[in-house]
Amino acid sequence: MSVQRIYVHMNIYTAFVNKLKEKTEKLVVGNPMDEETDIGPMIRLKEAERVEEWVKEAVEEGAKIELGGKRDGAFYLPTILTNVNDDMKVCRQEVFGPVVAIAQYDEIDEVISKVNDSDYGLQAGLFTNDLQFAMKAAREIEVGGLIVNDASAYRVDHMPYDGVKKSGNGKEGPKYAIEEMTEERIIVLNL
């Protein structure tokens, strides 16, 4: 699981993009056996080429590459895209690569609608100091798990982990996985 779509309020959008670029530039791409490496190669060359094509297509449709956007064999550099729209493959489908698409929003209902306008719903992360917004998001965002004030990749084994829509099949987490794989039955024996 990784962050793919980020919606940032328009008041902090530019500062957020700049800070993310600053942090992302420090990531080390290389051999996954090297402890200094943050990002290794894609699973195969064909997948790196697919990600390259999706990013190219997004740029042709108006997206801007803020960072990355280059492939070297099976390696795809960490890529930040802005000026994206929700119909681009990099927003609409699961990239499964080091690409993040950033869009801005103005109103709470608008961003909830954008998050829900997806065939997928594994987890979402929401950063806010507004408890009303957090509770509204908890009620309305269509995901298997909403993580407030942490990234969507947050997970611990003792919590249930599953998605909705086309995200996943079954629950993870020891207790929940066992329940998922168990068929409960009752037998009543009257003698």
Side-chain angles (χ1 to χ4, degrees):
M1 57 187 165
S2 64
V3 176
Q4 181 176 323
R5 296 183 302 162
I6 301 175
Y7 295 100
V8 181
H9 193 274
M10 58 190 292
N11 290 348
I12 60 168
Y13 181 80
T14 301
F16 178 88
V17 170
N18 290 337
K19 189 69 162 177
L20 184 61
K21 283 170 50 177
E22 177 186 315
K23 296 283 188 182
T24 304
E25 286 172 334
K26 295 177 183 174
L27 295 174
V28 176
V29 176
N31 183 342
M33 299 303 286
D34 182 346
E35 288 186 23
E36 300 298 314
T37 296
D38 297 303
I39 298 175
M42 302 274 304
I43 192 77
R44 68 187 103 186
L45 176 62
K46 182 179 175 182
E47 290 303 308
E49 291 171 341
R50 178 190 53 77
V51 170
E52 178 181 46
E53 184 59 36
W54 284 17
V55 169
K56 179 181 174 188
E57 184 179 294
V59 170
E60 289 169 358
E61 294 174 9
K64 178 182 176 193
I65 296 174
E66 296 287 342
L67 186 71
K70 293 184 171 79
R71 181 182 62 81
D72 181 9
F75 290 88
Y76 198 81
L77 295 180
T79 300
I80 299 171
L81 298 174
T82 57
N83 200 41
V84 295
N85 69 62
D86 293 329
D87 291 324
M88 295 175 176
K89 283 182 186 170
V90 294
C91 296
R92 178 69 49 202
Q93 298 181 30
E94 293 180 315
V95 174
F96 291 114
V99 176
V100 67
I102 307 173
Q104 56 183 306
Y105 75 93
D106 185 29
E107 298 293 327
I108 290 172
D109 289 332
E110 170 193 8
V111 75
I112 290 174
S113 176
K114 286 177 177 284
V115 170
N116 288 341
D117 183 24
S118 173
D119 290 336
Y120 304 97
L122 188 55
Q123 289 201 161
L126 171 66
F127 289 85
T128 185
N129 292 324
D130 183 343
L131 185 57
Q132 298 284 18
F133 181 17
M135 297 311 292
K136 180 178 180 67
R139 286 188 305 273
E140 297 180 16
I141 290 182
E142 300 164 356
V143 292
L146 177 66
I147 310 301
V148 178
N149 291 330
D150 210 326
S152 58
Y154 177 87
R155 179 177 173 202
V156 291
D157 274 341
H158 62 274
M159 66 186 241
Y161 177 76
D162 69 331
V164 298
K165 303 178 187 179
K166 291 183 179 177
S167 287
N169 183 2
K171 286 186 172 33
E172 295 179 27
K175 173 183 183 242
Y176 304 95
I178 289 170
E179 287 176 357
E180 190 76 20
M181 293 184 281
T182 301
E183 181 179 309
E184 289 185 35
R185 295 179 46 203
I186 184 169
I187 298 171
V188 177
L189 180 61
N190 287 315
L191 298 176

